[in-house]
Amino acid sequence: MTAFPDPVSRAGRDFVARHGETVFNAARRMQGDAPHTPLTRAGFAQAEEMGRALRAEVGARPALTLWASPTGRALQTLAVIVEHLDLDWHDARTDARLSEIDMGSWGGRYYADLSAEFGEIVQPGGLLKQAPDGEGYADIAIRVGGWLADTAADAGDRLVVMHGISSRVLRGVATGAPVGGVGAPILPGHPQGTVTMLAGGVERVVHLGTGHAPA
């Protein structure tokens, strides 16, 4: 059995944001860890909503450490959010461990084509079926858990902009969720454009997005 990192106790809060809708999401193409799939107009609108919600939650110029997946969609979403917060996007740090699930050779293909060939790709509960040459959920838990452990000394509150699947696993690791049928701790999915807050091993929804849910 895989040993997962223990939940990391931090003094600050983590605001975990799922990026806005992209052109791949709108076209129902498998995005995976693609480095840059641009936001749609709906995606930018979702980022605006997240920015307004966070402004109401933490105020202007909050003491937030900014983190993001290095993908273009996460960084675009972050750029809009931090403008609402009067923060500097250039202060953001990126880490590849915050990237989305690697779907291997399924990446870039249309969901309909994949389902016709391999059966239903979106599983009950909104999780994606693991690609034959793709990343497993236990592997995601190890990498996001490693990021949580390595950054536990971050002072105060943080904003972390990432992805649907990888954020579900990170939230699961951070809250000590039970290991589910996919072999990793995981929490329920949220629509694109959602922000949740993690504090003391407990999660609270700050803003529920209007995008696709949950995959």
Side-chain angles (χ1 to χ4, degrees), residues 106-183:
W106 290 4
R109 297 187 61 188
Y110 287 94
Y111 278 74
D113 293 340
L114 288 169
S115 293
E117 187 173 348
F118 300 101
E120 188 55 52
I121 298 302
V122 181
Q123 304 295 288
L127 290 174
L128 295 174
K129 179 186 289 187
Q130 183 180 340
D133 58 347
E135 186 177 29
Y137 285 87
D139 297 320
I140 300 173
I142 291 169
R143 66 172 163 89
V144 298
W147 177 82
L148 285 167
D150 290 348
T151 62
D154 282 356
D157 297 339
R158 305 190 292 195
L159 171 61
V160 186
V161 182
M162 48 190 306
H163 306 270
I165 297 293
S166 60
S167 69
R168 291 182 64 173
V169 180
L170 180 141
R171 291 160 44 222
V173 172
T175 58
V179 174
V182 294

Side-chain angles (χ1 to χ4, degrees), residues 29-152:
R29 290 180 68 181
M30 183 64 72
Q31 199 159 213
D33 63 345
H36 186 45
T37 53
L39 298 184
T40 60
R41 287 191 298 171
F44 279 110
Q46 290 156 10
E48 297 277 7
E49 293 169 359
M50 286 190 280
R52 286 190 287 269
L54 278 168
R55 174 74 174 239
E57 181 79 19
V58 299
R61 301 191 64 80
L64 279 178
T65 302
L66 305 177
W67 282 97
S69 156
T71 58
R73 57 195 184 273
L75 292 169
Q76 281 184 312
T77 300
L78 178 65
V80 176
I81 292 174
V82 298
E83 193 170 344
H84 282 273
L85 300 177
D86 296 330
L87 296 178
D88 188 350
W89 178 89
H90 297 90
D91 290 335
R93 310 174 193 180
T94 62
D95 195 302
R97 290 175 292 182
L98 299 174
S99 296
E100 185 56 301
I101 182 174
D102 179 357
M103 295 303 293
S105 58
W106 290 4
R109 297 187 61 188
Y110 287 94
Y111 278 74
D113 293 340
L114 288 169
S115 293
E117 187 173 348
F118 300 101
E120 188 55 52
I121 298 302
V122 181
Q123 304 295 288
L127 290 174
L128 295 174
K129 179 186 289 187
Q130 183 180 340
D133 58 347
E135 186 177 29
Y137 285 87
D139 297 320
I140 300 173
I142 291 169
R143 66 172 163 89
V144 298
W147 177 82
L148 285 167
D150 290 348
T151 62

